Amino acid sequence: MNTNKNLDLGKIREKIDKLDSQLVELLEERLEIVQQVAQFKKQTGKKIFDEEREKEVVKKNLKRVKNKELNHYIELILKDIMDSSKEYQKFKIGISTKYVNDLNLENKKLGYTGVPGSYAYEVLMNILKNNKNLDIDSIEENENIFHFNSHRDLVEAVHTRKIDIGILPIENSIVGEVRDSIDLINTKNIHIIGEVRHKISHNLLGVKGSKIEDIKNIYSHEQAFMQCSQFLSKHEWHLNRMTNTAISGKYIAAEGKKENACIANIKTKEVYGLELLKKNINNEEENYTRFFIISNENVVIDGSDKISIVTSANNESGALIGLLQIFYKYGLNMVNLKSRPRVNKPWEYYFYIDFEGNMASEKVKMALEEMREKSNYLQILGNYKLYNLEIYSN
């Protein structure tokens, strides 16, 4: 390391300016080639995000770094360059939207998190049973229905087209957002095509013949623990986090121990032959979870009046306010705003926003175009409708 005290800061900055000038020329040349990539993907229908290709680019270029102390920083720069390239590809390809009359579920591969008896399973069953084009009697035996242990696995299956449509919880009315869901949608080729609000009624379930006095261990999802915290605070039970409420029911049924109980819905009791120990143990009676219907196709269904985006403001004073004022300028009603940390960017955030509108509207198009110009990142997650479903209990 050069420790010469006679270093001239002005001359050092001249060298940096010269390198920056060369970098700008190279980046401009790279983006011109990226434009050709975008045209190819548009013609062939290939997806913009290719995770394996990105890993390959990073790995290949890190081998070229002579000073290995710089690997971490060069990796961050490479990832920033690729993120910018993806944004530019989206801009050049444009929004390829398919407008349809109704949600088409016929012959589609469908997925949810958990196992039969989970709330996501209930939502999926009700979506299917409310669809007039399907045979209600054979829905639960549908071979095109798949379950996944985690939200990540579900989103990955939609992203890689192993399934066509998934049911993903996004937010609870009591404890707030399901933390990983927005992040997962944002990083994959996923589109929100519908929303369902499902009432959540938690129950304490045990194995056959058990009583509350027998219980020592409670199994459930962390959201269920939070939503039932007042009831749980009255007991000295050991809480064991599971990936899903219904999976916890399946687990205690398999273990067959009277000291184990779970928090889940009544459907879980029926599916796994459990005992109802205490009904409706939510902190609040009015307990709802929003579920997104996600797809690998960018579909907008008739009646869609809600749009979800993620964006990131420039790191300067008033930048976020400037973005939010765009909604006021175009008369758009913003109904939700949340911040989420950016991966590998300490103390930097992106913003998840829901607002009312339809992508075919001129004022929506103008607002999004202005937002793209004033932000350093913009991703449209979907334009969708809220489904008010008739609830089927069986």
Side-chain angles (χ1 to χ4, degrees):
M1 183 176 177
N2 191 340
T3 57
N4 188 345
K5 295 181 180 179
N6 297 320
L7 288 173
D8 187 324
L9 182 58
K11 289 183 178 179
I12 293 171
R13 285 175 172 168
E14 283 180 13
K15 290 179 182 179
I16 290 175
D17 287 344
K18 185 177 179 181
L19 287 170
D20 284 346
S21 176
Q22 293 170 358
L23 280 172
V24 168
E25 287 183 17
L26 289 170
L27 288 170
E28 187 174 3
E29 185 179 343
R30 191 184 194 280
L31 285 171
E32 286 172 357
I33 297 170
V34 165
Q35 182 177 348
Q36 296 172 26
V37 173
Q39 289 171 350
F40 174 80
K41 288 181 178 178
K42 187 172 185 177
Q43 290 170 3
T44 60
K46 286 177 68 74
K47 57 190 180 184
I48 290 172
F49 179 58
D50 186 339
E51 194 169 5
E52 292 306 313
R53 167 64 179 163
E54 290 195 4
K55 288 179 182 177
E56 180 189 326
V57 169
V58 171
K59 185 178 179 181
K60 177 174 61 180
N61 283 290
L62 287 180
K63 287 180 180 177
R64 296 168 175 160
V65 178
K66 295 177 182 177
N67 182 355
K68 297 303 177 184
E69 184 182 342
L70 303 177
N71 268 22
H72 170 69
Y73 306 99
I74 290 176
E75 182 176 355
L76 291 178
I77 292 168
L78 287 169
K79 287 180 177 178
D80 275 345
I81 289 171
M82 287 187 288
D83 284 344
S84 298
S85 295
K86 284 185 288 189
E87 272 297 289
Y88 186 51
Q89 286 182 59
K90 290 173 189 174
F91 174 72
K92 296 307 292 183
I93 290 174
I95 301 166
S96 178
T97 306
K98 183 179 178 182
Y99 290 86
V100 297
N101 295 326
D102 201 359
L103 187 62
N104 178 18
L105 301 175
E106 192 172 6
N107 299 321
K108 298 289 187 182
K109 292 181 179 178
L110 312 169
Y112 66 96
T113 48
V115 291
S118 69
Y119 291 107
Y121 176 81
E122 276 194 330
V123 170
L124 178 55
M125 289 301 106
N126 279 314
I127 289 171
L128 291 168
K129 290 172 182 178
N130 275 268
N131 193 296
K132 296 181 176 65
N133 300 320
L134 297 174
D135 179 6
I136 291 179
D137 294 333
S138 63
I139 281 173
E140 299 202 20
E141 288 74 42
N142 192 329
E143 293 182 354
N144 281 333
I145 294 176
F146 302 87
H147 67 91
F148 298 87
N149 290 332
S150 69
H151 301 151
R152 182 175 296 279
D153 291 343
L154 173 72
V155 171
E156 184 66 23
V158 177
H159 169 70
T160 57
R161 298 181 178 270
K162 290 178 182 175
I163 62 172
D164 302 298
I165 290 173
I167 307 300
L168 182 71
I170 194 74
E171 183 179 34
N172 178 262
S173 59
I174 296 176
V175 298
E177 66 193 79
V178 180
R179 287 177 291 184
D180 60 345
S181 293
I182 296 170
D183 297 334
L184 289 168
I185 298 172
N186 183 34
T187 56
K188 302 292 183 180
N189 291 305
I190 301 296
H191 306 280
I192 305 165
I193 62 171
E195 178 185 339
V196 176
R197 294 176 187 175
H198 189 70
K199 188 166 187 179
I200 304 298
S201 179
H202 290 308
N203 306 277
L204 184 68
L205 308 176
V207 300
K208 282 293 182 183
S210 65
K211 299 177 182 178
I212 286 186
E213 299 81 53
D214 301 323
I215 304 307
K216 295 180 182 178
N217 305 304
I218 306 291
Y219 296 83
S220 198
H221 190 273
E222 63 176 346
Q223 285 257 333
F225 289 144
M226 290 187 285
Q227 292 164 29
C228 303
S229 58
Q230 293 174 15
F231 171 78
L232 291 171
S233 67
K234 299 173 184 176
H235 303 273
E236 294 183 357
W237 292 328
H238 182 67
L239 306 184
N240 301 274
R241 289 196 300 178
M242 305 287 278
T243 58
N244 183 266
T245 55
I247 286 175
S248 67
K250 185 178 182 180
Y251 173 78
I252 69 164
E255 289 287 299
K257 297 178 180 178
K258 290 186 177 182
E259 64 189 41
N260 294 339
C262 72
I263 296 174
N265 64 5
I266 288 296
K267 186 70 175 177
T268 302
K269 168 188 173 292
E270 297 167 4
V271 172
Y272 301 106
L274 300 174
E275 191 86 50
L276 176 61
L277 302 179
K278 184 72 175 178
K279 193 175 182 180
N280 295 334
I281 60 172
N282 309 324
N283 292 349
E284 304 288 342
E285 175 64 26
E286 295 301 304
N287 182 12
Y288 291 86
T289 293
R290 294 170 61 210
F291 287 84
F292 278 158
I293 306 171
I294 58 174
S295 171
N296 46 44
E297 273 193 296
N298 190 13
V299 173
V300 176
I301 296 156
D302 278 356
S304 293
D305 57 3
K306 194 171 180 183
I307 298 170
S308 291
I309 64 172
V310 288
T311 187
S312 180
N314 294 316
N315 190 20
E316 56 190 45
S317 178
L320 177 59
I321 295 298
L323 287 180
L324 299 182
Q325 284 176 338
I326 294 172
F327 294 99
Y328 176 77
K329 176 180 177 180
Y330 291 97
L332 299 172
N333 184 29
M334 185 175 65
V335 294
N336 197 0
L337 170 65
K338 290 183 172 63
S339 64
R340 297 290 301 145
R342 296 186 70 179
V343 179
N344 297 321
K345 301 279 185 179
W347 317 119
E348 289 189 25
Y349 300 86
Y350 70 78
F351 299 93
Y352 167 82
I353 300 172
D354 292 331
F355 66 97
E356 294 175 351
N358 187 281
M359 292 297 298
S361 163
E362 283 303 316
K363 66 179 182 179
V364 168
K365 291 178 183 177
M366 289 188 291
L368 290 173
E369 189 57 39
E370 186 169 336
M371 188 166 288
R372 192 182 298 278
E373 291 171 2
K374 291 186 176 179
S375 68
N376 57 34
Y377 177 80
L378 177 66
Q379 171 86 339
I380 299 165
L381 301 181
N383 185 186
Y384 52 95
K385 64 186 285 187
L386 173 64
Y387 284 89
N388 293 307
L389 302 177
E390 181 182 346
I391 303 301
Y392 291 81
S393 58
N394 296 309

